[in-house]
Amino acid sequence: MSKTAEIKFEDKTYKLPIVVGTENEVGVDIGKLRGESGLITLDPGYKNTGATTSAITFLDGEKGILRYRGYSIEELAEKSSFLEVSYLLIYGELPTVPQLTDFQNQIKVHTLVHEDIKKILEGFPSNAHPMGVLSSLVTALTAFYPESLDPNRSAEKVNLSIIRIMAKMPTFAAWAYKNEIGHPVNYPDNTLDYCGNFLKMMFALPAEKYDVDPVIASALNKLLILHADHEQNCSTSTVRIVGSAQASLYASISAGINALWGPLHGGANSAVINMLENIRKDGGDTKKWMAKAKDKDDPFRLMGFGHRVYKNFDPRAKIIKKAADDVLDKLGVNDPILEIAKGLEQEALSDPYFVERKLYPNVDFYSGIIYRALGIPVDMFTVMFALGRLPGWIAQWKEMRENNEPIGRPRQIYVGENLRAYKEMNKR
Ligand code: CMC
């Protein structure tokens, strides 16, 4: 007999089905609870609420485990390419050689964007934040491909939308950067692979030969893989919830980009570098800044520390910390903020405030140091995160659609005024 949980309220007991995942995670299905008892569950920030069952990413925050479709993040980061991982996330299996070649070729066909999108880009002032530019250009795709507006079209048509956005996001991201620095944009170079093409669009200068540095391309490949999915986080939940209203893929991804922008989510990678730079300029006294982070009257938080689900360590941070050392070493970069970051981590690991609250470096703590060494400016860091997270968002949107999930619509407990009589303005 399948297991149930019970809720006793007043003089009645309600039996609730138990859902068990393939990794033995256990959830109480409260879907019928309100209908039977009038009760809802209250969980601000969805700290303990499963919004879906999903077969994409497995994460165990206590043990520091992260797997995409059953493959460990450590192995994927070591052995695969970003497009291979994207294929895995979106279609469920690692590709064969012909499948990957076909996927790459399909993407190459769509890297170019409509010239009129350039006009939209040119309408942005140069100080526009590239995340705002990116989300706007992704939304603009709905105008250039109106057939994408209907997510109920054939699987083939939906797949075309998927390929298009995979192909065009690097172009948008690089163009947002070029717009910011006032340089002419570079068009995609389809002789290069995904990362090489992006780097060339970012850094090639007019009339100068640009050779992709294999160290930089490989570091970028690893960073994108590490960011590719992270189950039901803020931006992914946003993508799923927007998509659940049958909004198009592009509208849903654009919403995800905006959610990611926040400093408590993807925006943390820029915030970390700004913080480390401030500490450096302030003389590098890490103890002073640790004290600020612990002071409840001070709004300062140690950016890049803490995580909603990782309460032991973030496996991505472990890989990135090692990669940061390797990349800086290979590129011959000596960045003083790397030492400040390591000093902060060392202190936090033995500080009761951080130990008791299980606050460890997260993926964003060291990623910015690598981006900086690769020559990527700070306000582009979150764009890089978005580029990496794109296949995850697509996979989650696709899964939500294929599972026919209902529109997302949480409930609330109302705590405002009870019914009161309207008073004419002159009597208030
Ligand atoms: N510095 C100082 N104190 C902290 C920090 C921090 N970075 N993070 C959490 N705390 C404290 C917090 O003040 C609270 O203390 P108390 O129990 O005394 O009130 C306790 O730890 C629990 O924090 P919380 O805010 O309730 O935890 P949460 O799960 O709601 O928030 C978080 C998680 C990531 C938003 C938070 O740790 C944070 O703001 N970190 C800094 C921003 C950051 O690095 N974000 C990137 C996350 S990883 C990338 C991604 O996937 O988005």
Side-chain angles (χ1 to χ4, degrees), residues 47 264-265 296 301-302 304-305 308 353 357 362 364:
K47 290 194 174 197
L264 296 190
H265 190 14
K296 291 287 168 202
R301 276 191 167 198
L302 206 53
F305 260 75
R308 171 61 61 76
Y353 175 97
R357 289 170 180 74
N362 57 49
D364 289 329

Side-chain angles (χ1 to χ4, degrees), residues 47 230 233-234 260 263-269 272 293-294 296 300-309 311 314 316 353-354 357 359 362-365 385 389:
K47 290 194 174 197
H230 213 232
N233 54 80
C234 176
L260 187 75
L264 296 190
H265 190 14
N269 55 17
V272 169
K294 293 188 283 183
K296 291 287 168 202
F300 175 75
R301 276 191 167 198
L302 206 53
M303 299 313 285
F305 260 75
H307 202 277
R308 171 61 61 76
V309 287
K311 300 299 174 194
D314 180 338
R316 304 168 300 173
Y353 175 97
F354 288 87
R357 289 170 180 74
L359 303 172
N362 57 49
V363 67
D364 289 329
F365 196 60
F385 192 152
R389 186 54 55 86

Side-chain angles (χ1 to χ4, degrees), residues 326-343:
D326 288 353
V327 171
L328 268 61
D329 197 38
K330 279 189 196 150
L331 295 175
V333 174
N334 182 12
D335 192 335
I337 64 168
L338 180 60
E339 286 319 307
I340 294 178
K342 286 185 178 170

Side-chain angles (χ1 to χ4, degrees), residues 122-153:
E122 284 159 5
F124 282 97
S126 63
N127 62 357
H129 195 288
M131 282 296 275
V133 176
L134 182 67
S135 74
S136 306
L137 296 186
V138 170
T139 304
L141 280 179
T142 58
F144 293 87
Y145 304 102
E147 68 277 16
S148 69
L149 287 172
D150 178 5
N152 295 314
R153 289 169 69 105

Side-chain angles (χ1 to χ4, degrees), residues 271-280 282-294 300-306 321 336-355 359-362 364-366 369:
V272 169
I273 293 293
N274 292 333
M275 173 188 81
L276 293 172
E277 264 301 334
N278 283 341
I279 298 177
R280 188 185 66 80
D282 189 50
D285 182 358
T286 48
K287 289 204 166 45
K288 173 179 160 190
W289 291 79
M290 289 289 284
K292 270 168 77 63
K294 293 188 283 183
F300 175 75
R301 276 191 167 198
L302 206 53
M303 299 313 285
F305 260 75
K321 184 181 176 185
I337 64 168
L338 180 60
E339 286 319 307
I340 294 178
K342 286 185 178 170
L344 280 173
E345 178 182 355
Q346 219 37 52
E347 281 177 42
L349 290 180
S350 56
D351 188 307
Y353 175 97
F354 288 87
V355 174
L359 303 172
Y360 299 91
N362 57 49
D364 289 329
F365 196 60
Y366 289 104
I369 295 177

